[in-house]
Amino acid sequence: MILAGDEMATVKEPNPAFAESIIKAGGKTLNLCYQCGTCTASCPSGRQTAFRTRKLIRKAQLGLKEDILPSDDLWMCTTCYTCVERCPRQVDITDIIMILRNFAVKEGYMAETHKKTASSMMNTGHTIPLTNDYKEMRKRLGLSEQPPTVLGDPKALEDWKKIMQITGFDKLIGGK
Amino acid sequence: MTERYALFLGCIAPLRYPGIEKATREVFKALDVELVDLEGAGCCPAPGVIRSFDQTTWLALAARNLALAEKKGLDIITICNGCFGSLFDAAHLLHEDKQKVKEVNKILKEVGLEYVGDKIKVRHFADVLHKDIGIERIKSKVVNPLNFKAAVHYGCHFAKPSKIKQLDDPERPSILDELVEAVGPKSINYRDKMMCCGAGGGLRTRANEIAMKMTEEKLANVKKAGGQFIVDVCPFCHLQYDRTQKDVPGYNIPVIHLSQLYGLAFGLPRENMGFESHHVPVNL
């Protein structure tokens, strides 16, 4: 039988340099994986989605950058660590996924909703805003209207933002 | 006052479920433990989102929070699994890699801070209750023992990754069940008790319909096992369970943070538990 189009098996060229960059960024255990699939079988997100942890780790070992970085699957992990607990080779799977996500963001692959969370964290010190309803509720509970965090402290907020100017987070997420 | 801790608030407790913050403050006061505000602290920052975006930023901001506690000379107490995971992991990474401490301090110097390292510990409030305060002292404060079937939700970042957390068995833990049963309720077994609520890793923000499917799976298991309440130790799991029931029909399972459960059991004023911000009414 002749296969065509989507059915055709393709051979992908490994990219050892990309695989090496994952290891260098902290994924030292990447090559310990022998593809048993315990991770995929343990993944609660994999029950609901097409995300397959074993497959992602294989692609990472081969350095298949173009497959990994733009994919939605990369963002289906909830960082629950169940796979890490059960991995017979003690691969730091969750850490490797977070390294790959860092690479994806650097290449500009970032969901708009994630940009919003990141920008709120940068500009207010918190991932979510403090709205008037909750200010009122805090007062009713006898708490300070604003929590004693970065929120109500201009000097602390200035320091907070300065750190992200130094690390380049402001530019990374495309905010101000 | 014997013990003192620096209270790390995080984002969701103070800004969405302030009752959790209030209950925590009141419960620890009742236990003669002093919680000191960690003024100027920010987001932990969130392990699933911010750490996924840029580890350097994540580590620098976490180190800033840790450095603020170092200045006070107090261990951090967290009321959220996410904050606990983030700050604990950051302290661990900095303990293992001194080069990273140097890099982080180069940044912190610009804001007049320094992270020394290994001076203070990052603790989860449930661990403090279990290990430092102890079940007996907790029991001695109970004036209103509660009687219901509780579905305990551990969440992911309380005991995992166990290699570094070393708090409890990651697959069959018992700390929270013991803490819940200490004030009256029966902690039930239910299918996939240790499974994630679905919110973490940026999933709720990016693909909430998938996060909610995971939550619904958990809710169905709790319902089938006869759980009358979900008891959590993480405001993010708390929010996920509580708010998902707005959109997914067929469930009416109240969600309470362990601090709120203790507040009720200790006979603290009910209005201080802040149940008004809960979507599913808490009738206790």
Side-chain angles (χ1 to χ4, degrees):
Chain A
M1 193 171 85
I2 297 165
L3 299 174
D6 288 347
E7 294 172 277
M8 193 144 54
T10 51
V11 177
K12 286 182 176 157
E13 204 54 48
N15 177 351
F18 183 66
E20 192 54 41
S21 68
I22 300 166
I23 292 165
K24 256 195 158 154
K28 287 187 278 292
T29 52
L30 176 64
N31 285 328
L32 293 178
C33 171
Y34 53 30
Q35 292 286 292
C36 71
T38 302
C39 48
T40 295
S42 302
C43 180
S45 179
R47 290 185 194 174
Q48 311 292 348
T49 67
F51 171 50
R52 298 292 174 262
T53 319
R54 179 198 58 79
K55 209 168 169 183
L56 177 67
I57 295 298
R58 186 65 186 139
K59 285 178 177 176
Q61 288 176 325
L62 294 170
L64 302 183
K65 187 178 169 183
E66 286 74 21
D67 269 42
I68 299 169
L69 299 191
S71 88
D72 266 344
D73 284 356
L74 183 57
W75 298 91
M76 294 301 120
C77 164
T78 66
T79 71
C80 80
Y81 289 98
T82 310
C83 56
V84 176
E85 294 294 339
R86 296 179 183 170
C87 176
R89 300 284 287 162
Q90 299 192 23
V91 177
D92 298 313
I93 303 161
T94 310
D95 289 353
I96 290 168
I97 290 173
M98 285 191 282
I99 290 167
L100 291 168
R101 287 178 172 185
N102 274 214
F103 289 159
V105 167
K106 221 174 242 168
E107 299 267 325
Y109 298 108
M110 193 176 187
E112 285 307 314
T113 49
H114 278 171
K115 282 186 186 168
K116 218 177 130 191
T117 303
S119 137
S120 168
M121 192 280 295
M122 182 170 72
N123 292 314
T124 70
H126 292 286
T127 48
I128 43 173
L130 173 60
T131 56
N132 284 335
D133 290 1
Y134 289 103
K135 273 188 192 169
E136 288 304 316
M137 196 183 298
R138 291 185 59 84
K139 278 200 285 188
R140 278 199 299 278
L141 286 167
L143 296 167
S144 56
E145 188 178 293
Q146 303 209 69
T149 61
V150 173
L151 254 190
D153 184 339
K155 167 73 175 76
L157 187 59
E158 194 184 305
D159 288 352
W160 182 259
K161 287 184 186 172
K162 196 170 179 187
I163 289 175
M164 278 166 280
Q165 282 156 15
I166 299 170
T167 64
F169 193 72
D170 51 348
K171 292 194 184 68
L172 186 74
I173 62 165
K176 34 184 173 87
Chain B
M1 296 280 179
T2 45
E3 300 109 310
R4 292 176 88 215
Y5 298 92
L7 175 61
F8 188 85
L9 290 171
C11 300
I12 296 168
L15 308 182
R16 290 296 175 272
Y17 291 95
I20 295 176
E21 176 184 337
K22 180 69 176 178
T24 301
R25 292 179 185 277
E26 298 283 310
V27 160
F28 279 89
K29 199 186 286 170
L31 289 163
D32 300 316
V33 175
E34 192 184 351
L35 300 185
V36 178
D37 281 333
L38 193 54
E39 297 99 350
C43 177
C44 54
V49 278
I50 309 305
R51 191 177 180 185
S52 285
F53 304 156
D54 184 40
Q55 301 240 25
T56 309
T57 302
W58 167 77
L59 192 60
L61 293 174
R64 178 183 171 275
N65 287 327
L66 293 168
L68 293 174
E70 273 187 347
K71 262 174 83 173
K72 287 195 183 288
L74 293 174
D75 287 350
I76 286 178
I77 190 167
T78 58
I79 51 177
C80 167
N81 285 0
C83 302
F84 178 57
S86 205
L87 295 170
F88 188 98
D89 281 5
H92 178 77
L93 257 173
L94 293 168
H95 171 77
E96 297 281 297
D97 189 342
K98 295 301 164 205
Q99 183 56 36
K100 280 212 160 70
V101 178
K102 273 189 202 159
E103 286 165 23
V104 150
N105 275 331
K106 238 171 100 181
I107 299 169
L108 292 184
K109 201 177 164 207
E110 299 295 319
V111 295
L113 283 170
E114 189 195 1
Y115 177 67
V116 180
D118 302 326
K119 267 179 75 176
I120 55 133
K121 289 196 183 85
V122 177
R123 305 287 305 276
H124 191 288
F125 85 103
D127 175 45
V128 170
L129 287 171
H130 194 262
K131 205 176 285 160
D132 301 18
I133 294 164
I135 298 289
E136 287 317 308
R137 203 163 129 203
I138 290 165
K139 277 185 175 167
S140 75
K141 299 286 177 192
V142 176
V143 297
N144 176 30
L146 300 155
N147 181 20
F148 61 83
K149 286 183 183 167
V152 170
H153 175 76
Y154 278 81
C156 303
H157 298 184
F158 174 68
K160 295 181 282 186
S162 62
K163 192 165 73 175
I164 63 167
K165 294 266 171 61
Q166 298 187 346
L167 278 187
D168 205 342
D169 185 319
E171 306 264 11
R172 301 233 184 284
S174 62
I175 291 179
L176 300 188
D177 304 274
E178 288 168 24
L179 285 172
V180 165
E181 294 201 334
V183 299
K186 165 96 185 86
S187 174
I188 59 159
N189 279 322
Y190 61 97
R191 187 177 173 172
D192 283 334
K193 184 171 171 176
M194 290 311 295
M195 194 180 115
C196 174
C197 69
L203 198 64
R204 179 183 165 84
T205 316
R206 186 183 166 114
N208 194 25
E209 68 288 354
I210 296 164
M212 277 175 21
K213 278 189 191 169
M214 290 172 66
T215 318
E216 195 182 356
E217 207 183 330
K218 294 262 334 198
L219 288 168
N221 290 337
V222 169
K223 194 177 176 180
K224 203 172 165 201
Q228 294 168 289
F229 285 82
I230 291 171
V231 182
D232 63 84
V233 288
C234 172
F236 200 30
C237 305
H238 184 99
L239 178 140
Q240 184 66 15
Y241 279 122
D242 189 38
R243 295 208 174 165
T244 295
Q245 295 185 66
K246 252 201 255 190
D247 301 313
V248 176
Y251 298 98
N252 190 30
I253 309 171
V255 183
I256 38 180
H257 190 262
L258 185 66
S259 61
Q260 295 170 310
L261 177 73
Y262 273 30
L264 292 174
F266 290 2
L268 302 174
R270 199 183 182 282
E271 59 270 22
N272 280 353
M273 301 303 116
F275 293 134
E276 59 190 292
S277 73
H278 289 224
H279 170 71
V280 182
V282 180
N283 304 312
L284 270 176

